Amino acid sequence: MRKTFIFIIKSLAVFIAAILLYLFLGYFLPFIPVQAEATPEPKVIRGFIKTNGMHTDVVVPVKSTYIDWSEKFPFENTLSKSENYRYLSIGWGDKGFYLNTPTWADLKFSTAFKAAFWLGDAAVHATYYDKIEVNDSVKSFVMTERQYLNLIRFVDETMEKDAAGNYIFIPTDAQYDDNDAFYEAKGSYSFLYTCNTWTNNALKVSGQKAALWTPSDFGIFRHYP
């Protein structure tokens, strides 16, 4: 009985220590910056990062000389089916969170547990917008052609594809508005690789300012005052 009690106490101590270490690293590592790539190449594409206070997306023009995102994320998969949108917001995250947790009040322990420990599938949330305005929740950056092509490749490598190479649409009633849709994605969400870690990595591959590592939107936006 005494050995069991000691084992439980030690296990709790290790668990609490792990949480404290995670919180420590999650707060302080984002202060270590990854500088924007220095390049003489002309900046030709403006992108954005967007947060809802917890979750971040990368926002890009729908159409450019480099890609037409509506061919990848068809307008017809949104409820509005409008083709007049100018911007596309792309966010990666846990499929269970996206589809089963429209508000924090709907969050279940099972959903959070699966998301934290690599037990769930991933999805991409694609949202179209008419316009994007820079404010405290939206920051802009500018990319060269090469940097934007790197970002395009990063997003494409995130996506699950069918036999024809098309992104796999997720039919669901969980769409947040009439301008969004969900798609199957690679990887698994976890406390070490969150939606914000994905966005931070997207900034890195496109040569933009970023954090060394971050699980939070704070870790990204502190580099975009």
Side-chain angles (χ1 to χ4, degrees):
M1 185 69 177
R2 184 171 179 275
K3 289 183 178 180
T4 301
F5 178 74
I6 292 174
F7 174 77
I8 292 173
I9 294 299
K10 286 184 176 179
S11 297
L12 285 174
V14 170
F15 180 70
I16 293 171
I19 292 175
L20 292 175
L21 177 62
Y22 177 76
L23 293 175
F24 177 84
L25 295 177
Y27 182 78
F28 285 103
L29 282 184
F31 283 92
I32 303 175
V34 173
Q35 299 296 338
E37 177 188 10
T39 173
E41 301 168 41
K43 303 293 182 69
V44 295
I45 289 287
R46 182 171 298 277
F48 304 83
I49 46 173
K50 179 178 179 291
T51 182
N52 64 4
M54 294 289 289
H55 171 90
T56 53
D57 287 3
V58 174
V59 184
V60 290
V62 173
K63 297 181 180 181
S64 67
T65 56
Y66 311 102
I67 191 171
D68 181 349
W69 285 109
S70 67
E71 295 178 354
K72 301 289 187 178
F73 301 101
F75 292 127
E76 65 187 42
N77 289 339
T78 67
L79 294 177
S80 73
K81 305 189 186 305
S82 171
E83 298 183 0
N84 296 322
Y85 297 116
R86 296 177 56 205
Y87 296 96
L88 173 66
S89 180
I90 305 170
W92 177 95
D94 180 74
K95 187 175 178 180
F97 259 106
Y98 273 143
L99 303 185
N100 302 321
T101 314
T103 68
W104 286 108
D106 299 302
L107 179 62
K108 297 178 181 179
F109 174 80
S110 58
T111 300
F113 185 85
K114 288 179 180 179
F117 295 100
W118 299 275
L119 298 176
D121 296 322
V124 156
H125 186 211
T127 307
Y128 283 107
Y129 292 99
D130 296 320
K131 60 181 180 178
I132 294 292
E133 297 181 355
V134 174
N135 52 47
D136 289 343
S137 299
V138 180
K139 302 297 181 179
S140 70
F141 56 90
V142 188
M143 295 171 281
T144 68
E145 175 181 349
R146 174 179 52 80
Q147 290 171 339
Y148 189 41
L149 291 175
N150 286 341
L151 178 59
I152 292 170
R153 188 178 305 110
F154 176 81
V155 172
D156 186 66
E157 290 174 351
T158 294
M159 307 304 300
E160 291 282 7
K161 305 180 183 71
D162 62 20
N166 300 312
Y167 297 170
I168 302 173
F169 171 61
I170 302 174
T172 178
D173 294 328
Q175 286 163 284
Y176 298 169
D177 212 327
D178 63 359
N179 58 333
D180 66 323
F182 293 95
Y183 297 82
E184 300 285 359
K186 296 177 182 177
S188 293
Y189 185 103
S190 75
F191 64 92
L192 293 178
Y193 194 93
T194 70
C195 53
N196 302 306
T197 311
W198 182 89
T199 300
N200 192 59
N201 287 348
L203 291 169
K204 287 180 182 179
V205 301
S206 56
Q208 306 305 310
K209 294 182 295 182
L212 179 65
W213 171 79
T214 182
S216 68
D217 65 336
F218 155 80
I220 297 172
F221 272 73
R222 72 164 314 278
H223 299 286
Y224 290 82

